[in-house]
Amino acid sequence: MTRDERARVENVVAHGGLSAWWARYLLSSDNHRLATATRRAEDSRRDGFDRPLATLTDRGYRGAGGGRSSVVPATPEWRGTTTQTAGLWPFSVGASAPVVGTPLGPHFVTGSPVHFDPMAWFLRGFLTAPTLFVLALNGFGKSSLIRRIMTGAVAAGETVLALGDTKGEYRDLVEHLGGQIVELGYGRGKLNPLAVGALGAVVDRLPDSDLRRQVIARVEAGQVTIVAALIELARGDRIADWEETLIAAGLRQLYSDGDYTMSRPPLLRDLLGVISDGGENMLRSSEEDVGYAYRDSTRTLRRSLRALIEGPFGEALDGHTTTELNLDAPAVCVDVSHIPDGDNKLLAAVLMVCWSEGINAVTAAHTLADAGLARKRTFEIVLDEIWRVLGLGDFMVDRVDALTRLNRPLGSGLIMCSHTIKDLSAFDSPAARMKALGFIERSRAKILGPIPPDEVERLRAVVPLTKTEELLLTGWAAPRQPTEELLDSRGERETPPGTGCFLLRTGEGQQPGIPFRLVFTATERATQVHNTNRRFDGLRDTEDAG
């Protein structure tokens, strides 16, 4: 007790009563403590032994009986806004990833949240271009990760364009987001390669005559380019320069006759008709003097156009566009999953026209914004399963290469996905191989999932990885040995351990990446937007019933 406290207790003892009894007990206890302290001081002076405490270090007390730990586990770190964690701000330690973009999941080591979106990081200066390449083995959640990024992009006000959903993996999400679904393929919708789409529709709305002429010239050039690309695809060879001249002349002839306008475009069969009929303008453009010479020189071109109309291409391209792209929707999914897997040329043709239509629609939105007729917007373009597109031939490499170089002028983010880097080098032409490898090299952000060891060897030339990161990537891909312990109460196998595990890398430096695990929200689980194995749902119940 202090002197004042002891004086108060002694005063209570002097007044007597029940309180005095308790006060005497407190005084007795204090007398014992005082005597013990005095004795300790006297013993220390008498024997000369000084007994200091053990030295305290960052791993505990050093010395015998100190309990020092040789290994200190990392403390889990958590992050949140000042509203969510009121009273804990300011935080004493920052996390390794900025809270910018879509929340993807917890950090694989610290547990802190990891956020990422290529457009959001680009706008904040973390990336020099809004491009992302996702690389991982199939079945480990690549498409689920892209769907999460798409959801965050829509929430941030971006318009997401899945231009060519080859497996129908994004239509459920787009439907839940209130977006637009466009179906193309046999017995589905059609897409007119000569349709000017949204870009031609804005011409009459532009107040500046010079801007209108620029847009019209771009529309005409785009029509010639897409027809030439389709002919190259049908032939499997390059188109001649004079043939492109004839295509341009034929389109000018169609529009000059007054039968077709930007709102009512011609079809491929109309272009074939005007080239077949010839005429003074067409003869002059072909540099032929007589009709039979013109017919002979244009026979190859007419045959190619006929193949686009009456062959397999006609099922999807010979007709007016069934559904125009609506960029007022929060997201657009062009579903081409109804095209059979073996019909590679039709798939390539539809994808090329689809990309052209999408780029024209984005250009139209920016043109209106530049003219002050609409708000400025950003877009997110998704090219999933890019290996299916590149596998159609060297000519598709040029198309994708052009698209990857236009994302910044178009104000668009670009997300590409593949299973292995071998998909980018499986070409006969060295030039095509170099262009394809440039896709991942120019992607300012790479998200790597579970991959085998030989894939790590191939990646070293493109993406610098630390030894720890290499072990993470290959460890995630290693399956566990099937045992009875891996079966749950329903007799179903658990999810492989590497599912949803990814490594985010930005830049080409030696700084470590950000490992994280994608975790589904309750809403995502309830809506089943990530369930790509629905063909297998209920099979075990059927077996048990049998």
Side-chain angles (χ1 to χ4, degrees):
M1 293 183 187
T2 63
R3 291 184 178 182
D4 293 340
E5 291 174 345
R6 190 173 183 86
R8 285 195 298 270
V9 175
E10 290 174 347
N11 187 38
V12 174
V13 173
H15 285 79
L18 185 60
S19 299
W21 177 84
W22 178 249
R24 283 192 295 272
Y25 171 76
L26 294 178
L27 287 174
S28 176
S29 298
D30 187 59
N31 291 335
H32 285 295
R33 287 194 293 269
L34 183 59
T36 301
T38 302
R39 186 169 59 255
R40 284 179 177 171
E42 293 175 351
D43 290 343
S44 178
R45 288 194 297 268
R46 185 172 59 251
D47 59 20
F49 285 102
D50 190 11
R51 302 176 180 84
L53 294 176
T55 303
L56 179 62
T57 68
D58 58 351
R59 295 177 179 269
Y61 287 97
R62 182 185 290 116
R68 181 181 180 275
S69 177
S70 60
V71 177
V72 178
T75 304
E77 299 178 6
W78 306 92
R79 178 165 52 184
T81 64
T82 53
T83 301
Q84 294 170 321
T85 58
L88 297 180
W89 177 264
F91 301 127
S92 59
V93 179
S96 58
V99 189
V100 176
T102 305
L104 301 181
H107 193 284
F108 193 77
V109 178
T110 66
S112 61
V114 175
H115 295 238
F116 176 77
D117 176 81
M119 182 59 69
W121 278 39
F122 171 72
L123 295 177
R124 293 295 293 270
F126 301 144
L127 300 176
T128 57
T131 52
L132 167 65
F133 200 101
V134 182
L135 184 71
L137 292 173
N138 59 317
F140 284 97
K142 297 188 309 298
S143 298
S144 297
L145 174 65
I146 295 176
R147 282 189 289 267
R148 171 66 64 80
I149 296 176
M150 290 172 59
T151 304
V154 171
E158 297 180 56
T159 301
V160 178
L161 305 176
L163 299 179
D165 185 2
T166 58
K167 296 196 298 184
E169 293 184 330
Y170 301 105
R171 63 175 298 153
D172 288 346
L173 174 63
V174 172
E175 287 176 345
H176 279 90
L177 295 176
Q180 180 192 29
I181 304 297
V182 179
E183 291 185 328
L184 299 175
Y186 292 112
R188 308 286 174 170
K190 292 182 180 292
L191 193 60
N192 181 14
L194 298 179
V196 295
L199 186 58
V202 305
V203 172
D204 296 334
R205 299 175 57 186
L206 300 176
D208 187 359
S209 59
D210 291 336
L211 186 57
R212 284 198 298 271
R213 283 194 296 269
Q214 293 173 9
V215 173
I216 291 174
R218 176 165 184 147
V219 168
E220 293 175 350
Q223 289 176 318
V224 175
T225 299
I226 191 61
V227 173
L230 290 174
I231 291 176
E232 288 180 350
L233 178 61
R235 291 180 181 176
D237 195 7
R238 300 289 182 180
I239 189 173
D241 53 354
W242 61 268
E243 291 177 310
E244 291 191 53
T245 302
L246 280 179
I247 294 172
L251 290 172
R252 286 195 299 269
Q253 182 69 41
L254 289 172
Y255 283 106
S256 63
D257 292 341
D259 295 334
Y260 303 100
T261 61
M262 290 290 181
S263 59
R264 193 165 59 88
L267 301 175
L268 287 176
R269 62 177 61 251
D270 301 317
L271 177 61
L272 174 60
V274 74
I275 292 177
S276 299
D277 293 341
E280 182 179 351
N281 292 332
M282 300 304 297
L283 285 174
R284 184 171 58 254
S285 297
S286 65
E287 293 295 335
E288 296 289 355
D289 298 326
V290 293
Y292 68 85
Y294 171 82
R295 295 284 299 177
D296 184 63
S297 63
T298 60
R299 181 176 291 108
T300 303
L301 177 60
R302 288 184 282 112
R303 285 175 174 174
S304 297
L305 287 173
R306 180 74 64 182
L308 295 180
I309 296 170
E310 298 181 357
F313 296 94
E315 290 291 332
L317 304 179
D318 184 29
H320 290 288
T321 299
T322 306
T323 306
E324 299 282 351
L325 298 184
N326 178 23
L327 294 194
D328 292 331
V332 177
C333 174
V334 180
D335 185 1
V336 296
S337 61
H338 302 290
I339 298 177
D341 290 339
D343 205 342
N344 293 333
K345 283 195 172 183
L346 177 60
L347 176 62
V350 171
L351 288 176
M352 283 194 295
V353 178
C354 177
W355 293 346
S356 175
E357 181 75 9
I359 291 174
N360 285 341
V362 172
T363 304
H366 291 316
T367 302
L368 291 176
D370 295 340
L373 301 177
R375 63 179 178 87
K376 288 189 174 182
R377 305 164 60 185
T378 56
F379 300 85
E380 202 86 61
I381 299 176
V382 178
L383 298 181
D384 192 11
E385 303 292 341
I386 194 173
W387 63 272
R388 297 193 64 182
V389 180
L390 298 178
L392 299 174
D394 294 1
F395 52 89
M396 292 302 293
V397 177
D398 294 331
R399 302 298 168 183
V400 179
D401 182 64
L403 188 60
T404 61
R405 299 177 187 273
L406 285 175
N407 61 308
R408 278 198 300 177
L410 289 175
S412 304
L414 180 63
I415 301 175
M416 295 175 285
C417 175
S418 189
H419 293 151
T420 171
I421 200 173
K422 288 189 293 186
D423 297 332
L424 306 179
S425 57
F427 302 100
D428 297 332
S429 169
R433 285 197 297 270
M434 295 303 295
K435 287 182 181 179
L437 288 174
F439 299 160
I440 188 171
E441 291 176 348
R442 289 196 303 274
S443 297
R444 308 320 299 154
K446 293 99 172 170
I447 295 184
L448 309 177
I451 53 177
D454 58 339
E455 187 72 7
V456 172
E457 295 291 335
R458 288 187 288 267
L459 271 176
R460 285 201 183 106
V462 182
V463 183
L465 297 171
T466 65
K467 289 295 183 181
T468 302
E469 291 171 341
E470 293 178 3
L471 292 175
L472 276 177
L473 295 175
T474 55
W476 290 338
R480 286 182 292 186
Q481 186 69 23
T483 61
E484 289 293 336
E485 288 74 13
L486 296 181
L487 298 177
D488 59 17
S489 59
R490 297 173 298 173
E492 298 179 357
R493 194 174 189 274
E494 294 182 352
T495 302
T499 303
C501 297
F502 297 97
L503 175 69
L504 171 61
R505 292 290 310 228
T506 58
E508 283 75 33
Q510 295 294 329
Q511 67 274 15
I514 304 172
F516 65 93
R517 181 186 290 273
L518 178 66
V519 178
F520 293 157
T521 64
T523 302
E524 289 173 327
R525 294 183 181 277
T527 55
Q528 293 286 299
V529 294
H530 296 301
N531 185 7
T532 57
N533 295 324
R534 292 179 181 173
R535 291 288 186 185
F536 302 97
D537 290 349
L539 288 181
R540 188 162 188 84
D541 296 336
T542 305
E543 294 176 0
D544 295 340

